[in-house]
Amino acid sequence: MNILMALSQLEVTGAEVYATTVGNELTRRGHNVFYVSDTLTKPTQGPVFKLRFNKRSILRRFWHVFYLIYLIKRHHIQLVHAHSRASGWSSYVACKLTGTPMITTVHGRQPVHASRKAFHALGYRAVAVCEDIAHQIINNLGVDPAKVQVLRNGIETDKFQPVAAPENPKPVIAIIGRLSGPKGELCYRLLDEVLDLEACQVLVVSGTQVPERFARFKEKAEFVGYVDDVPTLLAGCDLVIGAGRVAMEALLCGRPAFAIGEAKAIGLVDESNLDEALASNFGDIGPQDLAIDFAALKPQVVSALASKGVSEQLRQRIQQEYGLQEVVTGLESIYQDAVVETLRREMPVIMYHRFIEHESEKGVHGTWLPVAMFEKHLKLMKWLGYETLTFRDLADKGFIHRLQYGKKYLMITVDDGYRDNLTRMLPLLEKYGYKAVVYIVTGEDHNRWDVAHPTHPDKPVSLMNADEIRMLGASEHIEIGGHTLTHPRLSKLAPEQQAHEIRANKQRLEQLLGHSLVSFAYPYGDLNDDAKAQASSAGYRYAVATNSGPRAMHQDPLQIRRIAIFPRTDVFGLWRKIRGNYVFRK
């Protein structure tokens, strides 16, 4: 995808570290990530454009919107990810005017005033980095809870490894954060009222230019400025004071962290208060911000200095909550939600069964299509510029690959495993360069489920035998999937019967093909929670239904919605079904 990160800042902030860290990981995953901001200090793997969001006059705001529209059009931006109020407002207007999906990550407490309540400007989804931020924007700003999702900061946890406690002549305490705004006030009061600057070596680490009022501390504390190598800095500290990412990174390094932020002072982070720390972004925000009792902090800091390390259990919890890979995967899911729901378009997954050449081959149940019409379908797909994906493609590249800019993808699926799939369908797929996923029943030699229908019995039609399945599966145009042994309605079976139908079919196909299967089709599209659990337990990553499941396919990989192709689906009918908005219009 082409993604634009929009930030407003004049100095290094947690939002910048977040945006560039996840942005660089998105780039490594194959996305094109662009940045627009007042300033940007952290290195990025994508282009950076300067826009002075901090200049907020009416004329400037018009310019912000105009320039964002230019960037969206010029770089074919598919989604804007905003990270601040100033950039968010302008991005919201630009996205509305261009029809571009947008989300916002909310990093801190939002101001509460009438215009903010009336005009949230958050886009499709507000991603809060902690629970207390989510509660604040819901309760104080009136944001719809359905639009809010908690997804924590993404940290390259492998860069922050535990280290032994340093042997410093006297304790080293690092205060890390901005020296402006509320964070600056915190630092000032810590230096003035809490820390013993004679007994300890205090390092003040900040990218902010040191304000004049801090001059009185320069003889007793070391203002080291911005630091690139944070792990090395943390390794030399006996105690780290800060909020947000500061506390997380210190804990990952095994260094004690004293969490204090704009909302409250949590104190030394341990197992007893970790949930509170996670919910408040380590003190940065609370449901109701409290006045911090700085006098009470002094003995707490002295006690915290006696702590020489962090338990492995605590470190593991931080890794689980903040691991970059999991956070970025969560973001990719939100991006897909935003794109599919905002544009109301999804990659079509179409479903065929068998292909006939003569009128005499028609059946009762409408699961056939003249092979001549199938070729017309393929010609239309080619003329419209479609390419085909299979589930193995998605397994290799991820669901989000289907949203790649400049591509028109669809998926062809074919149920049951009729012999004509090999003799009639495959040559046409080869002719037009398309791929299909064929779901095969292995416990029958014909369509017994239709022939034995109690009220509308059909004529028998041959399924592929073992050799024919091998021949079909050997083609680069075909992916084989499971479809049970006997084509039952799975919801009518007990779980152990479901397991037998699914597992025995999968084992037989894998034995024939010599490789594992990744996808499964529920016969008749009929399923329940037990059937989904059995498909997953059998080792399937994906499973397709018919007209059930979420409209966005990534939201439930074990119940992917498909669009049925019927005997009367002519070229115009197919065009309606593969435009991308069919499941939204039904």
Side-chain angles (χ1 to χ4, degrees), residues 449-512:
W449 55 92
D450 285 337
V451 174
H453 194 282
T455 59
H456 295 86
D458 213 333
K459 64 181 66 177
V461 182
S462 296
L463 300 174
M464 286 181 285
N465 60 33
D467 288 338
E468 290 165 333
I469 293 171
R470 288 193 193 94
M471 289 175 63
L472 186 71
S475 171
E476 62 181 10
H477 295 270
I478 298 295
E479 175 187 316
I480 301 295
H483 201 38
T484 72
L485 284 174
T486 63
H487 204 278
R489 290 189 177 273
L490 288 172
S491 68
K492 307 299 183 184
L493 303 183
E496 58 271 17
Q497 294 172 301
Q498 293 175 346
H500 175 67
E501 284 280 349
I502 294 169
R503 288 174 179 271
N505 169 251
K506 184 172 186 283
Q507 290 167 0
R508 176 57 175 159
L509 288 171
E510 290 178 341
Q511 180 186 40
L512 288 173

Side-chain angles (χ1 to χ4, degrees), residues 286-509:
Q288 181 178 358
D289 291 354
L290 306 173
I292 296 172
D293 183 356
F294 284 88
L297 295 183
K298 193 165 187 175
Q300 292 183 39
V301 170
V302 173
S303 176
L305 281 170
S307 176
K308 296 299 182 183
V310 173
S311 72
E312 184 59 24
Q313 180 182 0
L314 187 61
R315 282 194 68 259
Q316 290 296 328
R317 179 77 183 279
I318 298 296
Q319 285 185 317
Q320 292 168 7
E321 296 280 349
Y322 296 96
L324 180 63
Q325 298 301 321
E326 292 74 15
V327 169
V328 173
T329 296
L331 272 179
E332 285 187 318
S333 181
I334 295 170
Y335 290 169
Q336 292 172 78
D337 291 341
V339 170
V340 172
E341 296 295 339
T342 300
L343 302 181
R344 298 182 68 79
R345 303 187 76 83
E346 177 55 288
M347 181 183 80
V349 182
I350 56 177
M351 175 180 62
Y352 296 92
H353 287 79
R354 63 186 183 92
F355 306 94
I356 68 170
E357 290 182 339
H358 308 290
E359 291 284 317
S360 61
E361 298 177 87
K362 291 181 178 180
V364 174
H365 296 290
T367 56
W368 50 271
L369 186 78
V371 71
M373 180 57 69
F374 180 59
E375 182 165 16
K376 290 179 180 179
H377 285 185
L378 297 179
K379 284 181 178 179
L380 176 68
M381 296 174 198
K382 185 66 71 174
W383 183 73
L384 292 174
Y386 279 100
E387 299 177 44
T388 49
L389 292 176
T390 67
F391 281 110
R392 196 166 294 280
D393 293 329
L394 296 181
D396 293 340
K397 301 175 182 179
F399 268 119
I400 202 167
H401 175 72
R402 75 192 191 282
L403 302 178
Q404 186 178 355
Y405 177 78
K407 295 289 188 179
K408 293 173 68 175
Y409 288 121
L410 60 75
M411 184 179 291
I412 298 171
T413 66
V414 188
D415 283 10
D416 300 339
Y418 293 101
R419 184 167 293 154
D420 57 64
N421 292 181
L422 175 66
T423 60
R424 297 170 180 170
M425 179 192 72
L426 181 58
L428 289 176
L429 292 176
E430 293 172 339
K431 178 179 178 180
Y432 290 93
Y434 281 141
K435 297 183 288 187
V437 184
V438 180
Y439 294 107
I440 295 177
V441 172
T442 54
E444 305 283 357
D445 61 4
H446 71 284
N447 56 332
R448 184 192 54 77
W449 55 92
D450 285 337
V451 174
H453 194 282
T455 59
H456 295 86
D458 213 333
K459 64 181 66 177
V461 182
S462 296
L463 300 174
M464 286 181 285
N465 60 33
D467 288 338
E468 290 165 333
I469 293 171
R470 288 193 193 94
M471 289 175 63
L472 186 71
S475 171
E476 62 181 10
H477 295 270
I478 298 295
E479 175 187 316
I480 301 295
H483 201 38
T484 72
L485 284 174
T486 63
H487 204 278
R489 290 189 177 273
L490 288 172
S491 68
K492 307 299 183 184
L493 303 183
E496 58 271 17
Q497 294 172 301
Q498 293 175 346
H500 175 67
E501 284 280 349
I502 294 169
R503 288 174 179 271
N505 169 251
K506 184 172 186 283
Q507 290 167 0
R508 176 57 175 159
L509 288 171

Side-chain angles (χ1 to χ4, degrees), residues 60-361:
R60 282 283 186 178
R61 287 188 184 273
F62 274 114
W63 167 245
H64 298 162
V65 172
F66 174 80
Y67 188 66
L68 286 168
I69 291 174
Y70 164 76
L71 291 178
I72 289 169
K73 297 291 188 181
R74 174 69 177 81
H75 297 286
H76 309 294
I77 298 300
Q78 295 172 271
L79 179 133
V80 174
H81 186 167
H83 296 272
S84 65
R85 292 188 299 276
S87 66
W89 281 54
S90 300
S91 296
Y92 183 82
V93 175
C95 287
K96 280 293 184 183
L97 293 174
T98 58
T100 305
M102 171 188 166
I103 72 164
T104 300
T105 293
V106 185
H107 297 270
R109 187 176 185 83
Q110 301 296 289
V112 180
H113 46 68
S115 63
R116 190 62 169 163
K117 287 183 177 181
F119 188 54
H120 297 140
L122 296 169
Y124 175 79
R125 186 67 51 82
V127 181
V129 297
C130 69
E131 287 80 358
D132 286 348
I133 290 176
H135 296 155
Q136 193 246 339
I137 62 177
I138 291 170
N139 298 332
N140 296 356
L141 296 182
V143 177
D144 182 355
K147 291 174 64 76
V148 180
Q149 182 170 337
V150 174
L151 188 64
R152 304 201 189 282
N153 281 287
I155 297 178
E156 295 173 289
T157 54
D158 58 317
K159 292 186 177 180
F160 298 90
Q161 297 299 319
V163 293
E167 297 181 2
N168 296 313
K170 59 181 181 178
V172 174
I173 301 175
I175 307 174
I176 305 178
R178 285 172 288 169
L179 298 180
S180 58
K183 290 284 201 308
E185 180 65 19
L186 277 175
C187 182
Y188 186 90
R189 296 194 66 178
L190 286 168
L191 293 171
D192 190 42
E193 304 173 36
V194 178
L195 301 179
D196 186 340
L197 303 183
E198 298 290 345
C200 300
Q201 180 185 353
V202 177
L203 309 178
V204 180
V205 184
S206 176
T208 309
Q209 185 174 357
V210 181
E212 182 60 33
R213 67 173 181 154
F214 283 87
R216 58 186 288 248
F217 302 116
K218 287 190 174 180
E219 295 298 322
K220 297 183 177 180
E222 184 180 351
F223 291 79
V224 300
Y226 179 76
V227 173
D228 272 321
D229 189 356
V230 176
T232 298
L233 169 78
L234 297 175
C237 296
D238 295 279
L239 184 66
V240 177
I241 299 178
R245 299 179 70 93
V246 171
M248 306 162 203
E249 292 170 354
L251 293 170
L252 286 169
C253 285
R255 308 313 310 128
F258 195 94
I260 178 171
E262 298 174 27
K264 54 188 173 182
I266 293 172
L268 182 70
V269 179
D270 57 25
E271 287 84 351
S272 68
N273 59 18
L274 179 58
D275 287 340
E276 178 189 4
L278 295 173
S280 65
N281 204 31
F282 293 84
D284 256 354
I285 187 168
Q288 181 178 358
D289 291 354
L290 306 173
I292 296 172
D293 183 356
F294 284 88
L297 295 183
K298 193 165 187 175
Q300 292 183 39
V301 170
V302 173
S303 176
L305 281 170
S307 176
K308 296 299 182 183
V310 173
S311 72
E312 184 59 24
Q313 180 182 0
L314 187 61
R315 282 194 68 259
Q316 290 296 328
R317 179 77 183 279
I318 298 296
Q319 285 185 317
Q320 292 168 7
E321 296 280 349
Y322 296 96
L324 180 63
Q325 298 301 321
E326 292 74 15
V327 169
V328 173
T329 296
L331 272 179
E332 285 187 318
S333 181
I334 295 170
Y335 290 169
Q336 292 172 78
D337 291 341
V339 170
V340 172
E341 296 295 339
T342 300
L343 302 181
R344 298 182 68 79
R345 303 187 76 83
E346 177 55 288
M347 181 183 80
V349 182
I350 56 177
M351 175 180 62
Y352 296 92
H353 287 79
R354 63 186 183 92
F355 306 94
I356 68 170
E357 290 182 339
H358 308 290
E359 291 284 317
S360 61
E361 298 177 87

